[in-house]
């Protein structure tokens, strides 16, 4: 594979090659069954991905969405700490390595040394196979280690830890152990589904990270309590994902894309410049004005109306997306 391909394109090509020869019906059935397992309410005590066919189908279905969600979180980290770059990275519960692909492409020209930890040997084996076909030196050099997440000894010291779509699978005790282990890193990125219960797990993780001495770099503009009243709303964001033919077959849709909803927290042990305000809902563009729902450093949640009379700020507001920092850097 051409190493000059952007990471997202490289991942799509690797997944397309993975599904080559796998009957579409078999792949779709595997994905349906696995989705049902993941949507269950009881944390698992055994790997959900049991064999290569499970792993191949689910990787093709879920890796692009996980990749885009984690990449959005890493963008927020880079905005808050533009001069920081990790030398080492540990992907806890990384499965087939979607978050590691995102990390590999996050810092241009610099790929951290990555270790992927997971308890599913088939997932690790397939992740290694995909990484070796990536053409990305950092991914190809990654280590893939079997570990019982939340139970095995804490991972080796590292600069960056990612924990993506893992906490739901764990008992409360194991969730706490994973977050506490992650908190030893210089920077931590935790991602969960953009659902009310996913947001609850992110808030719990956020509180543990702050108690461990880290500061929030994103999405929050502060380390104070979240201003959203629990049970009435939840904080989440969205990433655009290109749909494969498998996505369209499983979901019965025809669109070329879908939006992955996710909740997240990024916390660090070094100083950062968090957004002064964060756009927490999709901006509403109306004639001559843009309505922005914001989480702010000093005023909690608020709505800002930006009109044509604001000049360059109005033009910036029209280009602002859900999840972006506000105001734009040049207007700050």
């Amino acid at each position: 594979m051409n190493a000059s391909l952007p990471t997202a394109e490289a991942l799509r090509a690797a997944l397309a090659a993975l599904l080559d020869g796998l009957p579409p019906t078999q792949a779709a059935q595997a994905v349906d069954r696995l989705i049902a397992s993941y949507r269950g309410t009881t944390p698992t005590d055994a790997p959900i991905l049991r064999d290569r066919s499970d792993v191949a189908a689910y990787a093709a279905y879920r890796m692009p969405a996980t990749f885009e969600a984690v990449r959005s979180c890493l963008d927020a980290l880079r905005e808050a700490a533009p001069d920081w770059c990790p030398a080492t990275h540990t992907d806890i519960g990384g499965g087939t390595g979607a978050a590691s692909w995102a990390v590999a492409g996050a810092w241009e020209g610099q790929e951290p040394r990555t270790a992927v930890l997971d308890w599913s040997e088939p997932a690790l084996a397939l992740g290694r196979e995909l990484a070796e076909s990536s053409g990305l030196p950092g991914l190809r050099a990654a280590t893939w280690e079997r570990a019982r997440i939340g139970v095995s000894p804490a991972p080796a010291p590292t600069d960056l830890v990612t924990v993506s779509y893992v906490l739901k699978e764990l008992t409360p005790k194991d969730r706490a152990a994973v977050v506490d282990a992650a908190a030893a890193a210089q920077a931590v990125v935790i991602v969960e589904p953009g659902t009310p219960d996913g947001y609850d797990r992110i808030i719990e993780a956020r509180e543990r990270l702050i108690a461990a001495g880290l500061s929030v770099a994103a999405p929050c503009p502060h380390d104070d309590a979240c201003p959203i009243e629990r049970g009435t709303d939840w904080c989440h964001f969205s990433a655009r994902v290109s749909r494969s033919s498998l996505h369209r077959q499983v979901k019965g849709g025809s669109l070329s894309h879908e939006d992955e909803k996710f909740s997240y927290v990024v916390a660090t042990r070094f100083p950062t410049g968090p957004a002064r305000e964060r756009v927490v809902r999709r901006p509403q563009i109306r004639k001559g004005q843009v309505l922005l729902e914001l989480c702010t450093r000093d005023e909690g949640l608020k709505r800002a109306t930006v009109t044509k009379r604001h000049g360059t700020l109005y033009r910036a507001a029209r280009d602002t997306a859900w999840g972006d920092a506000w105001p734009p850097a040049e207007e700050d």
Side-chain angles (χ1 to χ4, degrees):
M1 184 176 296
N2 187 341
S4 66
L5 284 173
T7 310
E9 293 181 21
L11 177 58
R12 283 194 291 270
L15 292 173
L18 176 67
L19 284 182
D20 188 29
L22 184 65
T25 301
Q26 178 183 344
Q29 289 173 346
V31 168
D32 279 337
R33 180 178 61 78
L34 292 165
I35 288 174
S37 296
Y38 274 109
R39 287 178 177 169
T41 58
T42 304
T44 60
D45 58 4
I48 292 175
L49 301 177
R50 301 173 306 188
D51 55 34
R52 182 181 171 84
S53 62
D54 275 0
V55 174
Y58 206 72
Y61 182 76
R62 277 301 304 169
M63 278 188 76
T66 301
F67 171 87
E68 293 295 349
V70 175
R71 183 163 69 168
S72 294
C73 302
L74 295 173
D75 286 346
L77 171 57
R78 290 170 55 235
E79 288 174 4
D83 297 326
W84 184 77
C85 177
T88 54
H89 163 233
T90 300
D91 190 4
I92 297 179
T96 54
S100 295
W101 281 74
V103 169
W107 284 272
E108 187 174 356
Q110 301 181 73
E111 290 186 48
R113 297 190 306 277
T114 286
V116 182
L117 311 181
D118 201 271
W119 58 4
S120 170
E121 185 58 44
L124 291 168
L126 190 68
R128 185 184 300 111
E129 180 183 326
L130 290 170
E132 288 173 353
S133 72
S134 69
L136 300 168
L139 269 180
R140 296 180 72 177
T143 60
W144 302 78
E145 305 171 18
R146 190 172 188 187
R148 177 73 182 274
I149 305 306
V151 177
S152 295
T158 188
D159 292 337
L160 171 66
V161 164
T162 53
V163 186
S164 54
Y165 298 92
V166 172
L167 299 183
K168 178 180 173 60
E169 300 176 36
L170 305 175
T171 64
K173 179 181 177 181
D174 288 350
R175 282 202 294 267
V178 165
V179 174
D180 290 346
Q186 292 300 301
V188 181
V189 175
I190 301 179
V191 190
E192 284 288 294
T195 58
D197 63 314
Y199 161 74
D200 284 344
R201 290 188 293 275
I202 288 296
I203 288 298
E204 291 169 2
R206 180 183 185 271
E207 291 171 353
R208 294 192 77 87
L209 293 172
I210 292 172
L214 286 80
S215 298
V216 176
C220 319
H222 54 75
D223 288 346
D224 298 331
C226 177
I228 295 175
E229 183 180 349
R230 301 279 283 275
T232 63
D233 201 354
W234 68 99
C235 182
H236 65 293
F237 302 92
S238 179
R240 180 60 53 91
V241 184
S242 296
R243 268 182 167 177
S244 66
S245 59
L246 179 59
H247 279 81
R248 293 192 289 272
Q249 181 177 0
V250 171
K251 292 200 170 181
S254 59
L255 291 177
S256 62
H257 64 268
E258 64 181 2
D259 292 325
E260 171 71 6
K261 305 294 175 53
F262 63 95
S263 296
Y264 78 100
V265 61
V266 177
T268 69
R269 289 193 173 277
F270 51 84
T272 63
R276 195 172 77 196
E277 300 175 347
R278 178 80 61 185
V279 180
V280 293
R281 287 291 183 270
R282 197 179 305 278
Q284 300 178 47
I285 300 178
R286 300 178 179 174
K287 185 176 181 180
Q289 63 181 13
V290 181
L291 304 182
L292 300 176
E293 299 288 344
L294 301 168
C295 181
T296 71
R297 189 174 300 170
D298 302 316
E299 302 175 68
L301 299 173
K302 75 172 186 180
R303 170 175 285 189
T305 301
V306 187
T307 65
K308 283 187 174 180
R309 66 182 177 83
H310 290 100
T312 58
L313 197 62
Y314 170 70
R315 290 191 290 275
R318 288 183 61 87
D319 292 333
T320 293
W322 182 8
D324 283 353
W326 183 262
E330 60 271 18
E331 302 291 342
D332 201 342

